[in-house]
Amino acid sequence: MSSDDYIASQVDPCIRRYEELSRKYHKIHIGLMIACFSSFMAVIVLNVVYIIVPVIWLVLASIVCTLGGLFLFFFDCLNGYLEKSLDYKHKAECLGYEKHLYKAKENGFKGFAYRCERYM
């Protein structure tokens, strides 16, 4: 198996898989943060409406929204979706870097490959 075949069959699919996982975890993180922010904005709106129309259900609804927002925030923090996204992105970038470094060495750009290895 030549190096180009190995890169095409083994390295490139792994890079794509890591990039897909990074996007997936990033979307999950952003979705949870938007839901958390929306929940806290609903609490502010409910408190303003409570000042205008003092109904006890508005206070209870704002308590539920606060607890829901805190749950979403801690759920995201405890599962570490942002860290997972950044970790997979870093792995994909490292594999891409190593792939290009290997191709540079194979093609005879030894000076370029040496400079890249020195900074690696």
Side-chain angles (χ1 to χ4, degrees):
M1 176 184 285
S2 72
S3 62
D4 290 333
D5 293 337
Y6 176 75
I7 288 173
S9 67
Q10 299 294 325
V11 177
D12 287 339
C14 195
I15 290 173
R16 282 193 296 275
R17 184 170 45 101
Y18 284 154
E19 287 174 348
E20 288 170 5
L21 286 171
S22 175
R23 276 191 299 262
K24 175 183 143 185
Y25 284 122
H26 182 70
K27 286 179 183 179
I28 291 171
H29 169 71
I30 294 299
L32 285 173
M33 287 297 105
I34 289 172
C36 182
F37 181 75
S38 299
S39 175
F40 291 136
M41 290 303 294
V43 169
I44 293 172
V45 169
L46 286 170
N47 288 332
V48 169
V49 172
Y50 178 72
I51 291 172
I52 298 169
V53 181
V55 178
I56 194 67
W57 290 107
L58 296 174
V59 173
L60 296 174
S62 69
I63 291 171
V64 169
C65 284
T66 302
L67 292 175
L70 288 173
F71 171 76
L72 290 171
F73 179 73
F74 287 123
F75 183 77
D76 181 52
C77 290
L78 291 175
N79 285 321
Y81 290 125
L82 179 61
E83 291 83 14
K84 289 178 184 177
S85 170
L86 293 175
D87 186 42
Y88 282 121
K89 184 176 181 181
H90 178 70
K91 286 180 182 180
E93 288 173 354
C94 285
L95 277 176
Y97 176 78
E98 290 178 13
K99 177 182 84 169
H100 294 304
L101 179 65
Y102 185 76
K103 283 184 176 182
K105 277 184 174 180
E106 186 180 72
N107 292 332
F109 299 125
K110 297 194 186 318
F112 172 73
Y114 172 74
R115 285 193 301 272
C116 290
E117 279 181 345
R118 191 174 65 184
Y119 293 111
M120 194 163 110

